[in-house]
Amino acid sequence: MHIYVNGRNIEITDAIKAYVKEKFAKVANHYDQIQGIDVVLSVIKNPAASGKHIAEVSCKMNTGVVRCEESGQSMYESIDLLADKLDRQVKKVKDKSLGSDKSSIRTEAGVDKTAEAVEE
């Protein structure tokens, strides 16, 4: 799995690149079907704009693509917000792909054992 970091109107330093890879590597650990993550960091140079630092991500998976965008006052803040948002969306896609049936053999066996213990 590859994490690509690009910039618009900003020079991507090694510190920012390492920070992005650290944050999004945690997201990649949740779901093994992720093929690649493309991160685009940009800065709006208009002084009247409120959220000047924007981070966008496209997460390519076997089941489709998840896209997110966040903005903040600093680049690190927008990266943090984006990583949290992508983490939630990847977990949601993973839950959907595993199926809506939440019961499993382990939980059913555990329920049966407790029911038998109560009856005795």
Side-chain angles (χ1 to χ4, degrees):
M1 198 251 344
H2 298 285
I3 300 173
Y4 301 102
V5 182
N6 295 319
R8 287 187 205 142
N9 296 330
I10 186 173
E11 184 178 333
I12 303 298
T13 63
D14 291 336
I16 290 177
K17 190 179 287 190
Y19 189 73
V20 168
K21 289 188 178 194
E22 174 189 338
K23 285 292 187 177
F24 289 103
K26 293 178 184 177
V27 174
N29 288 337
H30 291 295
Y31 194 42
D32 59 347
Q33 301 298 319
I34 296 176
Q35 297 171 346
I37 297 176
D38 297 329
V39 180
V40 178
L41 306 174
S42 59
V43 176
I44 297 174
K45 297 198 175 191
N46 185 355
S50 60
K52 294 184 178 185
H53 300 275
I54 300 171
E56 305 170 20
V57 67
S58 295
C59 181
K60 296 179 182 117
M61 298 182 280
N62 292 345
T63 57
V65 178
V66 175
R67 288 190 171 88
C68 304
E69 180 179 332
E70 282 293 330
S71 62
Q73 296 299 321
S74 71
M75 189 57 70
Y76 291 101
E77 177 187 0
S78 61
I79 292 168
D80 287 339
L81 293 172
L82 185 65
D84 292 339
K85 190 175 198 178
L86 182 66
D87 189 33
R88 287 191 306 269
Q89 288 191 1
V90 166
K91 285 181 182 178
K92 189 176 184 182
V93 169
K94 180 180 176 182
D95 289 343
K96 283 185 179 180
S97 70
L98 293 177
S100 61
D101 186 22
K102 297 293 181 182
S103 63
S104 69
I105 296 172
R106 292 181 187 151
T107 57
E108 289 174 4
V111 171
D112 291 339
K113 289 180 184 178
T114 57
E116 290 174 354
V118 171
E119 289 175 5
E120 292 176 355

